[in-house]
Amino acid sequence: MKIKKVISTILLCAVLAGCSNSGQSHEIPLEQSNCPISTMRTGTRRQGIKSISNGFECTQEGSYFMYDGSGGGSWLLYIDHGSDTVIKLCGRPDCTHTDSDCNAYFKEAENICYYDGFLYTFNERNTFDLTDKDLIRMNLDGTERTVVYNTAKFMKTNGYNKILNSNILNGVLFFMVGKFNEYGETVFNNGYYKLDGSMDEPKLDTFFAPVLFSDGESIVGNVDYDKENELWVNGIWDPDKGIVEELFKTDDINDYSYIGTKSHYYVENGVIIEDSYTEGKKELIDTGLKGDYRLACFPDCIAMYEKGPYEEKNIYFYDWDYNYLGSVKINYEFNEEKMIGFICGETPERIFLTDDFLCLPRYYINKSDFGTGKIEIHALNVPDFGEEED
């Protein structure tokens, strides 16, 4: 299967004070009682949020972004809830925050995910060895990095020569591994490793690692492939049980919709549809829009915008009582050829927006604007990455 700028230490300490000791709120109270999707914002890979490989995390104190700087290394970023300033997550007073000595720097990491009081990422250790990657645990202020697992032995033992497309969600690391077959072709398998330390080495399974997400406690997405009918199988998967339930099959492997454990939500001919696995389809909102749209479902709102090419450049918002909350036009420049979506983060108060494929947060929308008739896009203060950003 072939598928691939800096603030003072004082401010940083103020932002993160107590992070590693405070309990994390994994569940946010609902604002619409009939919201049918998960309220979990922490420790998962959330559907509707565009990132290369789960590069966004929302905790009780603030939000984290893992920015993979296109050949210039990766940077762990943080923004406090209510702040307009994104920082590189490093509190060292002697640090310039511009090179690989910075505590916020990683050689190549794409993920950031909370689990059991810590942050986790999957980082390349050696640029010249594509089999040598570390699963890293750290405090919520980015300190005390600890390698909890290295892939080199597993890869060598099993003859794999590359590892890619990693995700971390719901306490599990997922990735793809590849090796040559007898015809010199690269074939791929999918592996997983639990963060709780209960596994000596990764295991392989039939799921398609890049397209696994979460609906709360459950891991959902492409769990198998029906070769006979050439269809992707979407379902519920568990690290201890494997495929728990098959939900539906499709010939389009995408994340333009929301896969729940009870229903599937998507847009068809401008109509937002709930497709219950037991009761069938129901039209929720006829938006009156024409075109090809993606859906982003959050605990307190639904966002909808074109898949691309982005001719319209509007994001439309609705609530779970099916009321129209307004729209906003994307008024900033972006790389249309490389965009995979505008929304790169969501919190109880905001929606973060990006302007490139690497999903660096550049702007945000306040949800308090919903229903006022004027939704505004605000610019964020973002760190300087120099050449890494080119």
Side-chain angles (χ1 to χ4, degrees):
M1 191 187 305
K2 295 185 179 178
I3 310 289
K4 193 179 155 313
K5 205 173 278 199
V6 171
I7 69 170
S8 68
T9 303
I10 294 177
L11 176 57
L12 175 61
C13 292
V15 167
L16 297 172
C19 278
S20 58
N21 296 319
S22 60
Q24 298 301 302
S25 175
H26 288 256
E27 192 160 324
I28 309 298
L30 296 176
E31 295 187 14
Q32 281 86 40
S33 60
N34 64 335
C35 172
I37 72 162
S38 171
T39 62
M40 286 181 62
R41 285 185 167 96
T42 306
T44 73
R45 186 188 185 197
R46 301 174 54 213
Q47 302 176 62
I49 293 177
K50 310 312 298 179
S51 65
I52 298 175
S53 296
N54 199 21
F56 172 76
E57 178 63 280
C58 174
T59 67
Q60 187 173 2
E61 286 78 15
S63 296
Y64 300 83
F65 298 84
M66 184 62 80
Y67 173 54
D68 184 18
S70 186
S74 304
W75 294 89
L76 180 53
L77 311 177
Y78 176 85
I79 181 171
D80 186 30
H81 293 318
S83 173
D84 288 348
T85 301
V86 180
I87 65 171
K88 294 178 180 178
L89 192 61
C90 177
R92 287 172 42 212
D94 61 329
C95 186
T96 63
H97 313 296
T98 58
D99 55 34
S100 59
D101 290 331
C102 180
N103 281 350
Y105 177 91
F106 293 82
K107 183 178 291 292
E108 184 180 339
E110 298 173 344
N111 333 105
I112 191 66
C113 192
Y114 174 94
Y115 174 74
D116 196 26
F118 298 94
L119 296 173
Y120 285 81
T121 192
F122 196 47
N123 183 49
E124 184 176 288
R125 176 182 290 194
N126 187 340
T127 304
F128 303 101
D129 187 347
L130 298 180
T131 70
D132 192 6
K133 294 196 174 186
D134 292 330
L135 174 63
I136 295 177
R137 181 184 66 213
M138 67 195 105
N139 293 330
L140 299 189
D141 59 0
T143 61
E144 297 186 17
R145 292 189 194 181
T146 302
V147 176
V148 297
Y149 181 74
N150 176 264
T151 61
K153 182 179 179 181
F154 168 79
M155 297 291 285
K156 182 177 181 180
T157 300
N158 294 280
Y160 294 110
N161 55 29
K162 63 180 63 178
I163 185 167
L164 65 162
N165 289 337
S166 63
N167 282 302
I168 304 175
L169 63 147
N170 290 37
V172 184
L173 164 69
F174 298 93
F175 51 82
M176 292 180 67
V177 289
K179 62 182 175 182
F180 297 116
N181 62 13
E182 63 269 31
Y183 306 107
E185 302 169 328
T186 301
V187 293
F188 294 97
N189 281 313
N190 300 278
Y192 70 99
Y193 182 84
K194 296 170 67 175
L195 307 187
D196 62 9
S198 62
M199 299 171 61
D200 293 329
E201 63 178 24
K203 293 182 179 180
L204 303 179
D205 212 324
T206 60
F207 57 75
F208 185 44
V211 196
L212 286 181
F213 296 90
S214 174
D215 180 38
E217 299 290 344
S218 298
I219 297 169
V220 298
N222 294 123
V223 296
D224 207 350
Y225 185 70
D226 181 346
K227 295 181 180 179
E228 181 178 351
N229 298 297
E230 298 183 341
L231 295 172
W232 296 99
V233 180
N234 283 276
I236 304 172
W237 184 89
D238 182 89
D240 298 317
K241 302 176 182 179
I243 299 176
V244 175
E245 182 179 357
E246 293 187 5
L247 301 175
F248 64 94
K249 297 182 180 181
T250 177
D251 60 357
D252 185 9
I253 181 170
N254 66 68
D255 55 349
Y256 300 140
S257 61
Y258 187 96
I259 302 171
T261 56
K262 296 181 179 180
S263 299
H264 177 211
Y265 299 85
Y266 58 94
V267 183
E268 186 175 77
N269 299 320
V271 179
I272 299 176
I273 294 174
E274 177 187 65
D275 188 355
S276 168
Y277 309 127
T278 58
E279 300 178 8
K281 297 181 181 180
K282 180 173 67 173
E283 295 187 357
L284 301 183
I285 306 171
D286 186 347
T287 69
L289 299 168
K290 305 302 179 184
D292 202 6
Y293 288 84
R294 68 171 75 224
L295 203 62
C297 296
F298 302 119
D300 50 8
C301 67
I302 305 167
M304 193 177 93
Y305 60 97
E306 282 191 319
K307 294 178 183 178
Y310 304 100
E311 298 178 0
E312 186 188 356
K313 302 180 179 67
N314 285 330
I315 305 179
Y316 300 89
F317 298 97
Y318 305 85
D319 65 22
W320 286 105
D321 293 321
Y322 314 140
N323 299 306
Y324 178 57
L325 301 176
S327 67
V328 64
K329 184 175 183 178
I330 300 300
N331 57 4
Y332 55 81
E333 294 184 0
F334 58 91
N335 189 331
E336 185 163 340
E337 294 183 357
K338 296 183 178 181
M339 284 290 286
I340 58 174
F342 294 112
I343 299 176
C344 64
E346 187 268 353
T347 74
E349 297 83 23
R350 291 177 172 179
I351 291 176
F352 292 103
L353 305 175
T354 188
D355 63 354
D356 65 18
F357 171 78
L358 299 172
C359 297
L360 177 68
R362 292 284 194 180
Y363 306 92
Y364 68 92
I365 294 167
N366 283 318
K367 292 182 181 177
S368 57
D369 286 349
F370 290 169
T372 66
K374 188 178 182 180
I375 301 175
E376 296 183 347
I377 294 178
H378 306 270
L380 289 165
N381 301 311
V382 180
D384 180 14
F385 296 95
E387 295 183 358
E388 302 112 0
E389 199 176 356
D390 295 335

